[in-house]
Amino acid sequence: MPITIADVAARAGVSKTTVSRVLNGRGELDAATEARVRRVIDELGYVPSARAVSLARGRTGVIGMLVPSLTWPWTGQVLQGAVDTVESGKYGLMLFTCNQGDGSMRQFASQVDAKAFDGLLVIEPEGTLDYITELHAAGLPVVLIDDRESRPQFPSVATTNRAGGRQAALHLLELGRRRPLVVSGTPGFGCVTERTEGFTEAFAEAGFPVPAEALLDGDFTLESGRAAVARAVAGGVEFDALFAHNDLSAAGAMQALGEAGRVVPRDVAVVGFDDVDLAALTTPPLTTVRQPLREMGVLAARMLLARLAGEPFPTEPVVIPTDFVVRGSTAPQA
């Protein structure tokens, strides 16, 4: 059986608290007692767990990260940025997903109660913002990595969804496209509202308001993009451009356009959002609004590590602007 701190305490004739103080250099101890405890540790070959030592020091050396699912196309880029930064700061990362719904959240809550990590990074699983806000209010340092325009009551790193939608619209207008179709993301998400408003406002300002029948609900999936375009074509909606709220639904839209005999970009210019790896691999490669995904993960992790080092959190959300990447899916109106 492994040697425990209780074995050391019994052999040295001291309490477990005394052994812990010797291991962690805490408290004033008699030199002879400390020497005796260290001698017993050497004799027994006792090796304290790193976790036990960290907890005794009031820190775990671990950052928690809560995400909805690893299947979201852009989660991996955010996660990689966060992991690289956390590990560079000599912390470990404990990852939680919500793949099992309430069961996943119960498991996460048990680790919160056990104080298994020192701070938390969050890509908000739907319906959890109030709970995360309570954790922060109770003293757990939290940073939200947000693309939904949630604007929580704790620190967050976000991007410019409205400006990104506007970038997409201005590009299409410059190409002479006047009849866009919009395939949105999941209704109710703040980023969906922001992206749609930024896009439609730019078209309206140019004198080409987007009709209601050209605004189609999606859910950020490839199939929703394909189905939305199929419905528009079957319904006789006229369009020469398409803006999808993410690259995955844009790829599905391009698939449906091909099935309908529409050539991209000759007949329909297509713009996505995110600039995940898929965007450069579609045929033709996808023009898209680049969301600074890895940078968001890096900056959020830096903010959290700085807070754990004693620095204050920023008082306002930190916003990183989007970029625009032009590829072969857009071209001037023939």
Side-chain angles (χ1 to χ4, degrees), residues 162-173:
R162 181 184 295 270
R166 186 175 184 84
Q167 285 174 303
L170 293 177
H171 176 68
L172 292 172
L173 286 165

Side-chain angles (χ1 to χ4, degrees), residues 5-232:
I5 195 171
D7 296 326
V8 174
R11 173 74 70 89
V14 298
S15 68
K16 290 189 290 184
T17 300
T18 297
V19 176
S20 179
R21 286 176 176 172
V22 171
L23 291 170
N24 294 289
R26 298 176 63 183
E28 296 294 332
L29 292 172
D30 175 79
T33 300
E34 181 174 352
R36 184 167 74 255
V37 171
R38 292 196 179 280
R39 185 172 63 253
V40 171
I41 289 173
D42 291 340
E43 291 172 354
L44 296 179
Y46 172 64
V47 179
S49 71
R51 178 172 171 77
V53 173
S54 294
L55 287 172
R57 292 174 176 168
R59 289 285 177 86
T60 65
V62 175
I63 297 296
M65 187 165 184
L66 177 65
V67 304
S69 171
L70 295 179
T71 61
W72 283 23
W74 58 267
T75 301
Q77 292 189 39
V78 176
L79 180 59
Q80 191 62 60
V83 169
D84 290 346
T85 306
V86 166
E87 291 183 348
S88 295
K90 309 303 181 186
Y91 275 76
L93 188 88
M94 183 181 294
L95 180 65
F96 302 90
T97 71
C98 283
N99 289 326
Q100 303 301 318
D102 290 343
S104 296
M105 287 306 298
R106 283 193 296 271
Q107 183 177 13
F108 169 72
S110 70
Q111 295 301 305
V112 172
D113 293 340
K115 302 185 185 304
F117 42 85
D118 300 327
L120 180 66
L121 299 171
V122 181
I123 300 173
E124 179 204 345
E126 190 172 2
T128 65
L129 188 59
D130 288 346
Y131 172 56
I132 302 303
T133 302
E134 291 174 3
L135 293 181
H136 178 73
L140 179 68
V142 180
V143 178
L144 179 70
I145 303 168
D146 176 41
D147 81 325
R148 301 187 190 178
E149 302 289 335
S150 297
R151 297 298 182 265
Q153 299 174 13
F154 54 86
S156 65
V157 176
T159 191
T160 48
N161 286 294
R162 181 184 295 270
R166 186 175 184 84
Q167 285 174 303
L170 293 177
H171 176 68
L172 292 172
L173 286 165
E174 288 171 0
L175 297 177
R177 306 289 177 161
R178 301 292 183 260
R179 295 170 295 167
L181 191 71
V182 178
V183 180
S184 74
T186 305
F189 283 11
C191 65
V192 171
T193 301
E194 294 289 324
R195 292 173 191 179
T196 299
E197 289 179 351
F199 185 87
T200 56
E201 286 170 0
F203 263 87
E205 290 167 5
F208 304 99
V210 181
E213 62 267 22
L215 301 174
L216 305 178
D217 287 341
D219 61 8
F220 293 120
T221 64
L222 188 146
E223 177 55 30
S224 74
R226 191 202 66 77
V229 169
R231 290 196 305 272

Side-chain angles (χ1 to χ4, degrees), residues 162-331:
R162 181 184 295 270
R166 186 175 184 84
Q167 285 174 303
L170 293 177
H171 176 68
L172 292 172
L173 286 165
E174 288 171 0
L175 297 177
R177 306 289 177 161
R178 301 292 183 260
R179 295 170 295 167
L181 191 71
V182 178
V183 180
S184 74
T186 305
F189 283 11
C191 65
V192 171
T193 301
E194 294 289 324
R195 292 173 191 179
T196 299
E197 289 179 351
F199 185 87
T200 56
E201 286 170 0
F203 263 87
E205 290 167 5
F208 304 99
V210 181
E213 62 267 22
L215 301 174
L216 305 178
D217 287 341
D219 61 8
F220 293 120
T221 64
L222 188 146
E223 177 55 30
S224 74
R226 191 202 66 77
V229 169
R231 290 196 305 272
V233 171
V237 178
E238 295 185 0
F239 59 98
D240 60 5
L242 185 144
F243 172 48
H245 277 203
N246 74 335
D247 295 337
L248 194 59
S249 58
M254 291 169 69
Q255 182 182 55
L257 289 170
E259 293 168 353
R262 308 282 183 94
V263 177
V264 177
R266 184 193 68 192
D267 302 324
V268 181
V270 179
V271 178
F273 205 110
D274 285 343
D275 196 26
V276 296
D277 292 342
L278 170 68
L281 302 176
T282 58
T283 304
L286 182 64
T287 294
T288 187
V289 180
R290 180 183 179 273
Q291 196 171 190
L293 300 170
R294 188 179 185 282
E295 293 92 329
M296 291 166 72
V298 168
L299 186 53
R302 285 178 179 169
M303 288 169 56
L304 187 56
L305 292 176
R307 179 67 185 87
L308 294 174
E311 298 179 21
F313 272 136
T315 57
E316 297 290 335
V318 176
V319 180
I320 310 174
T322 55
D323 292 323
F324 199 75
V325 181
V326 178
R327 297 193 179 98
S329 69
T330 56

